[in-house]
Each structure stands twice: as structure tokens, then as C-alpha cells.
Amino acid sequence: MERLYREFKGKGLEIVAVNIKDKREDALAFVRKNKLSFPILMDPEGEIGLLYGAYATPTVYLIDRNGAVLARMWGPAGWYSPAARKLIGEIVQQK
């Protein structure tokens, strides 16, 4: 996701991660280890996870410019695959 973010961040893609129920120190260590540059919000009680149905990690939502949820996925995925990059490219080009 970091590579995807770096490639498309100036073209309309935003990534916001929410860390659910982990200790702040553990989450920050993960961010440093993986050199993540997108925003990471903390949800120590898991309230956001419950609100948005994040039953597994990661849970990923693709949301268009109008706020419509295009897709929701649970678990790891190949976000930098050619197909994913093509999809994200098409989404960010929409007006």
C-alpha cells in the first residue's frame, strides 16, 4: 500500500490507516519498520473498527470522490499488482 500511495498520492489517492486495539508503541514501531508515510489514526478501544465493520486486519475500503464505498476487502491483498494499479488509476481519473 505504501508503494501505491507514493505512486498515486498526487493524483487523487488518499490512504488513511486506522490501527485498532494495538498499543501505540507497537503501532508506531510497525510504521517505522515499514516506512509508512500515509496517516495512521489510533483506535485503542476498537470503536472505529466496530462502526465500519473492520472484522479482520487489514480491512480496506475503496471510496470514490463522492464518498461512495466502491469495495470492501478483508485480509492481505496485492495492492501493487498490475491489476490493482490499473483499477486505482481508473478510479483517480474519474471526475
Side-chain angles (χ1 to χ4, degrees), residues 44-62:
E45 303 301 320
E47 295 171 9
I48 295 170
L50 289 173
L51 182 64
Y52 284 92
Y55 304 115
T57 55
T59 300
V60 175
Y61 295 87
L62 293 179

PDB file of all heavy atoms in Angstrom, residues 44-62:
ATOM      1  N   PRO A  44      -7.663   2.806  19.995  1.00  0.00           N
ATOM      2  CA  PRO A  44      -7.284   1.852  21.044  1.00  0.00           C
ATOM      3  C   PRO A  44      -8.444   1.022  21.591  1.00  0.00           C
ATOM      4  O   PRO A  44      -8.238  -0.103  22.047  1.00  0.00           O
ATOM      5  CB  PRO A  44      -6.675   2.732  22.134  1.00  0.00           C
ATOM      6  CG  PRO A  44      -7.196   4.100  21.879  1.00  0.00           C
ATOM      7  CD  PRO A  44      -7.439   4.188  20.401  1.00  0.00           C
ATOM      8  N   GLU A  45      -9.654   1.511  21.510  1.00  0.00           N
ATOM      9  CA  GLU A  45     -10.810   0.777  22.024  1.00  0.00           C
ATOM     10  C   GLU A  45     -11.530  -0.030  20.950  1.00  0.00           C
ATOM     11  O   GLU A  45     -12.475  -0.763  21.246  1.00  0.00           O
ATOM     12  CB  GLU A  45     -11.788   1.744  22.701  1.00  0.00           C
ATOM     13  CG  GLU A  45     -11.178   2.555  23.835  1.00  0.00           C
ATOM     14  CD  GLU A  45     -10.617   1.683  24.940  1.00  0.00           C
ATOM     15  OE1 GLU A  45     -11.253   0.665  25.286  1.00  0.00           O
ATOM     16  OE2 GLU A  45      -9.524   2.010  25.452  1.00  0.00           O
ATOM     17  N   GLY A  46     -11.158   0.148  19.700  1.00  0.00           N
ATOM     18  CA  GLY A  46     -11.786  -0.586  18.606  1.00  0.00           C
ATOM     19  C   GLY A  46     -13.138  -0.029  18.184  1.00  0.00           C
ATOM     20  O   GLY A  46     -13.895  -0.702  17.505  1.00  0.00           O
ATOM     21  N   GLU A  47     -13.438   1.208  18.564  1.00  0.00           N
ATOM     22  CA  GLU A  47     -14.739   1.801  18.244  1.00  0.00           C
ATOM     23  C   GLU A  47     -14.922   2.032  16.745  1.00  0.00           C
ATOM     24  O   GLU A  47     -15.995   1.776  16.196  1.00  0.00           O
ATOM     25  CB  GLU A  47     -14.911   3.115  19.013  1.00  0.00           C
ATOM     26  CG  GLU A  47     -14.975   2.910  20.520  1.00  0.00           C
ATOM     27  CD  GLU A  47     -14.926   4.208  21.292  1.00  0.00           C
ATOM     28  OE1 GLU A  47     -15.019   5.292  20.664  1.00  0.00           O
ATOM     29  OE2 GLU A  47     -14.798   4.155  22.517  1.00  0.00           O
ATOM     30  N   ILE A  48     -13.881   2.510  16.086  1.00  0.00           N
ATOM     31  CA  ILE A  48     -13.975   2.752  14.646  1.00  0.00           C
ATOM     32  C   ILE A  48     -14.118   1.426  13.911  1.00  0.00           C
ATOM     33  O   ILE A  48     -14.897   1.303  12.963  1.00  0.00           O
ATOM     34  CB  ILE A  48     -12.754   3.545  14.137  1.00  0.00           C
ATOM     35  CG1 ILE A  48     -12.750   4.942  14.773  1.00  0.00           C
ATOM     36  CG2 ILE A  48     -12.763   3.655  12.608  1.00  0.00           C
ATOM     37  CD1 ILE A  48     -11.481   5.724  14.526  1.00  0.00           C
ATOM     38  N   GLY A  49     -13.375   0.433  14.363  1.00  0.00           N
ATOM     39  CA  GLY A  49     -13.473  -0.896  13.761  1.00  0.00           C
ATOM     40  C   GLY A  49     -14.885  -1.444  13.820  1.00  0.00           C
ATOM     41  O   GLY A  49     -15.400  -1.990  12.836  1.00  0.00           O
ATOM     42  N   LEU A  50     -15.538  -1.286  14.962  1.00  0.00           N
ATOM     43  CA  LEU A  50     -16.926  -1.749  15.098  1.00  0.00           C
ATOM     44  C   LEU A  50     -17.869  -0.949  14.204  1.00  0.00           C
ATOM     45  O   LEU A  50     -18.747  -1.500  13.549  1.00  0.00           O
ATOM     46  CB  LEU A  50     -17.382  -1.650  16.555  1.00  0.00           C
ATOM     47  CG  LEU A  50     -16.765  -2.650  17.520  1.00  0.00           C
ATOM     48  CD1 LEU A  50     -17.171  -2.333  18.960  1.00  0.00           C
ATOM     49  CD2 LEU A  50     -17.168  -4.068  17.151  1.00  0.00           C
ATOM     50  N   LEU A  51     -17.673   0.353  14.174  1.00  0.00           N
ATOM     51  CA  LEU A  51     -18.534   1.232  13.388  1.00  0.00           C
ATOM     52  C   LEU A  51     -18.481   0.900  11.891  1.00  0.00           C
ATOM     53  O   LEU A  51     -19.494   0.907  11.207  1.00  0.00           O
ATOM     54  CB  LEU A  51     -18.133   2.688  13.613  1.00  0.00           C
ATOM     55  CG  LEU A  51     -18.945   3.757  12.903  1.00  0.00           C
ATOM     56  CD1 LEU A  51     -20.386   3.756  13.390  1.00  0.00           C
ATOM     57  CD2 LEU A  51     -18.320   5.125  13.137  1.00  0.00           C
ATOM     58  N   TYR A  52     -17.281   0.565  11.404  1.00  0.00           N
ATOM     59  CA  TYR A  52     -17.104   0.331   9.970  1.00  0.00           C
ATOM     60  C   TYR A  52     -17.025  -1.141   9.586  1.00  0.00           C
ATOM     61  O   TYR A  52     -16.774  -1.468   8.433  1.00  0.00           O
ATOM     62  CB  TYR A  52     -15.860   1.074   9.463  1.00  0.00           C
ATOM     63  CG  TYR A  52     -16.121   2.547   9.330  1.00  0.00           C
ATOM     64  CD1 TYR A  52     -15.842   3.418  10.375  1.00  0.00           C
ATOM     65  CD2 TYR A  52     -16.672   3.057   8.166  1.00  0.00           C
ATOM     66  CE1 TYR A  52     -16.099   4.773  10.254  1.00  0.00           C
ATOM     67  CE2 TYR A  52     -16.934   4.419   8.043  1.00  0.00           C
ATOM     68  CZ  TYR A  52     -16.643   5.262   9.102  1.00  0.00           C
ATOM     69  OH  TYR A  52     -16.903   6.597   8.986  1.00  0.00           O
ATOM     70  N   GLY A  53     -17.243  -2.030  10.530  1.00  0.00           N
ATOM     71  CA  GLY A  53     -17.243  -3.446  10.204  1.00  0.00           C
ATOM     72  C   GLY A  53     -15.873  -4.000   9.870  1.00  0.00           C
ATOM     73  O   GLY A  53     -15.746  -4.861   9.009  1.00  0.00           O
ATOM     74  N   ALA A  54     -14.853  -3.495  10.532  1.00  0.00           N
ATOM     75  CA  ALA A  54     -13.492  -4.000  10.324  1.00  0.00           C
ATOM     76  C   ALA A  54     -13.298  -5.223  11.206  1.00  0.00           C
ATOM     77  O   ALA A  54     -12.846  -5.134  12.337  1.00  0.00           O
ATOM     78  CB  ALA A  54     -12.471  -2.911  10.651  1.00  0.00           C
ATOM     79  N   TYR A  55     -13.665  -6.382  10.673  1.00  0.00           N
ATOM     80  CA  TYR A  55     -13.632  -7.622  11.441  1.00  0.00           C
ATOM     81  C   TYR A  55     -12.307  -8.346  11.334  1.00  0.00           C
ATOM     82  O   TYR A  55     -12.068  -9.318  12.035  1.00  0.00           O
ATOM     83  CB  TYR A  55     -14.758  -8.548  10.977  1.00  0.00           C
ATOM     84  CG  TYR A  55     -16.112  -7.884  11.063  1.00  0.00           C
ATOM     85  CD1 TYR A  55     -16.857  -7.625   9.923  1.00  0.00           C
ATOM     86  CD2 TYR A  55     -16.630  -7.489  12.287  1.00  0.00           C
ATOM     87  CE1 TYR A  55     -18.088  -7.008  10.002  1.00  0.00           C
ATOM     88  CE2 TYR A  55     -17.861  -6.862  12.373  1.00  0.00           C
ATOM     89  CZ  TYR A  55     -18.586  -6.631  11.230  1.00  0.00           C
ATOM     90  OH  TYR A  55     -19.793  -6.000  11.309  1.00  0.00           O
ATOM     91  N   ALA A  56     -11.462  -7.944  10.407  1.00  0.00           N
ATOM     92  CA  ALA A  56     -10.149  -8.545  10.222  1.00  0.00           C
ATOM     93  C   ALA A  56      -9.182  -7.430   9.846  1.00  0.00           C
ATOM     94  O   ALA A  56      -9.592  -6.348   9.441  1.00  0.00           O
ATOM     95  CB  ALA A  56     -10.195  -9.588   9.098  1.00  0.00           C
ATOM     96  N   THR A  57      -7.909  -7.703   9.998  1.00  0.00           N
ATOM     97  CA  THR A  57      -6.928  -6.711   9.584  1.00  0.00           C
ATOM     98  C   THR A  57      -6.042  -7.293   8.505  1.00  0.00           C
ATOM     99  O   THR A  57      -5.654  -8.452   8.614  1.00  0.00           O
ATOM    100  CB  THR A  57      -6.061  -6.238  10.764  1.00  0.00           C
ATOM    101  OG1 THR A  57      -5.468  -7.354  11.387  1.00  0.00           O
ATOM    102  CG2 THR A  57      -6.873  -5.454  11.758  1.00  0.00           C
ATOM    103  N   PRO A  58      -5.798  -6.545   7.496  1.00  0.00           N
ATOM    104  CA  PRO A  58      -6.403  -5.241   7.273  1.00  0.00           C
ATOM    105  C   PRO A  58      -7.809  -5.355   6.689  1.00  0.00           C
ATOM    106  O   PRO A  58      -8.153  -6.360   6.086  1.00  0.00           O
ATOM    107  CB  PRO A  58      -5.477  -4.603   6.241  1.00  0.00           C
ATOM    108  CG  PRO A  58      -4.943  -5.758   5.468  1.00  0.00           C
ATOM    109  CD  PRO A  58      -4.830  -6.891   6.452  1.00  0.00           C
ATOM    110  N   THR A  59      -8.597  -4.333   6.909  1.00  0.00           N
ATOM    111  CA  THR A  59      -9.850  -4.140   6.187  1.00  0.00           C
ATOM    112  C   THR A  59      -9.647  -2.903   5.330  1.00  0.00           C
ATOM    113  O   THR A  59      -9.207  -1.872   5.826  1.00  0.00           O
ATOM    114  CB  THR A  59     -11.034  -3.911   7.145  1.00  0.00           C
ATOM    115  OG1 THR A  59     -11.177  -5.051   7.983  1.00  0.00           O
ATOM    116  CG2 THR A  59     -12.323  -3.682   6.383  1.00  0.00           C
ATOM    117  N   VAL A  60      -9.914  -3.014   4.052  1.00  0.00           N
ATOM    118  CA  VAL A  60      -9.652  -1.927   3.112  1.00  0.00           C
ATOM    119  C   VAL A  60     -10.967  -1.518   2.459  1.00  0.00           C
ATOM    120  O   VAL A  60     -11.742  -2.362   2.014  1.00  0.00           O
ATOM    121  CB  VAL A  60      -8.645  -2.371   2.026  1.00  0.00           C
ATOM    122  CG1 VAL A  60      -8.460  -1.285   0.982  1.00  0.00           C
ATOM    123  CG2 VAL A  60      -7.317  -2.747   2.668  1.00  0.00           C
ATOM    124  N   TYR A  61     -11.201  -0.214   2.416  1.00  0.00           N
ATOM    125  CA  TYR A  61     -12.358   0.354   1.736  1.00  0.00           C
ATOM    126  C   TYR A  61     -11.855   1.212   0.585  1.00  0.00           C
ATOM    127  O   TYR A  61     -10.953   2.022   0.771  1.00  0.00           O
ATOM    128  CB  TYR A  61     -13.162   1.260   2.674  1.00  0.00           C
ATOM    129  CG  TYR A  61     -13.786   0.529   3.821  1.00  0.00           C
ATOM    130  CD1 TYR A  61     -13.096   0.320   5.002  1.00  0.00           C
ATOM    131  CD2 TYR A  61     -15.085   0.049   3.723  1.00  0.00           C
ATOM    132  CE1 TYR A  61     -13.680  -0.364   6.057  1.00  0.00           C
ATOM    133  CE2 TYR A  61     -15.672  -0.627   4.773  1.00  0.00           C
ATOM    134  CZ  TYR A  61     -14.961  -0.828   5.933  1.00  0.00           C
ATOM    135  OH  TYR A  61     -15.534  -1.501   6.976  1.00  0.00           O
ATOM    136  N   LEU A  62     -12.433   1.027  -0.580  1.00  0.00           N
ATOM    137  CA  LEU A  62     -12.194   1.943  -1.692  1.00  0.00           C
ATOM    138  C   LEU A  62     -13.386   2.873  -1.748  1.00  0.00           C
ATOM    139  O   LEU A  62     -14.524   2.433  -1.910  1.00  0.00           O
ATOM    140  CB  LEU A  62     -12.064   1.179  -3.012  1.00  0.00           C
ATOM    141  CG  LEU A  62     -10.855   0.271  -3.159  1.00  0.00           C
ATOM    142  CD1 LEU A  62     -10.887  -0.425  -4.519  1.00  0.00           C
ATOM    143  CD2 LEU A  62      -9.562   1.036  -2.989  1.00  0.00           C
TER     144      LEU A  62
END
